[in-house]
Amino acid sequence: DLHSFPTRRSSDLAIERDGGICYICGTKCNWDDYNIKTGKDERPVTLVGPTYPTVEHVKPLSKGGLNSWSNVRLACFECNTKKSTHWEE
């Protein structure tokens, strides 16, 4: 079904399907690109780096995109952040 996510964790499936490569810049995504720091309240805070993998909506939900498997791709954190809600038909 192209309009619903599979039951396995979506990020794992996107990495498998997309070969671990960011669809925007072509960089290999890296699960180890993060640091865990202690916040002001002594709780751990995870800071991800630019190549950390994210699941990105090609057509943003805010622009009418669906939360569907056919509308998500693997993107590195940096590209996903830069793209934000931009979308061109």
Side-chain angles (χ1 to χ4, degrees):
D1 182 1
L2 293 178
H3 299 292
S4 62
F5 282 111
T7 55
R8 247 175 83 197
R9 196 169 132 195
S10 298
S11 57
D12 291 340
L13 288 169
I15 286 173
E16 186 177 305
R17 179 194 64 192
D18 298 341
I21 304 296
C22 172
Y23 89 101
I24 298 171
C25 72
T27 298
K28 179 102 172 136
C29 292
N30 180 1
W31 275 108
D32 295 324
D33 190 10
Y34 70 92
N35 288 303
I36 299 176
K37 307 239 180 199
T38 303
K40 290 180 182 178
D41 59 0
E42 300 300 316
R43 297 167 96 181
V45 176
T46 303
L47 304 170
V48 299
T51 62
Y52 194 81
T54 64
V55 176
E56 204 278 317
H57 290 87
V58 177
K59 182 176 183 181
L61 300 174
S62 65
K63 307 282 189 201
L66 299 174
N67 195 25
S68 66
W69 188 238
S70 61
N71 188 44
V72 295
R73 295 288 179 268
L74 186 67
C76 65
F77 179 76
E78 182 174 42
C79 285
N80 195 349
T81 302
K82 285 180 183 176
K83 181 179 175 276
S84 185
T85 60
H86 300 292
W87 178 70
E88 294 181 25
E89 288 191 56

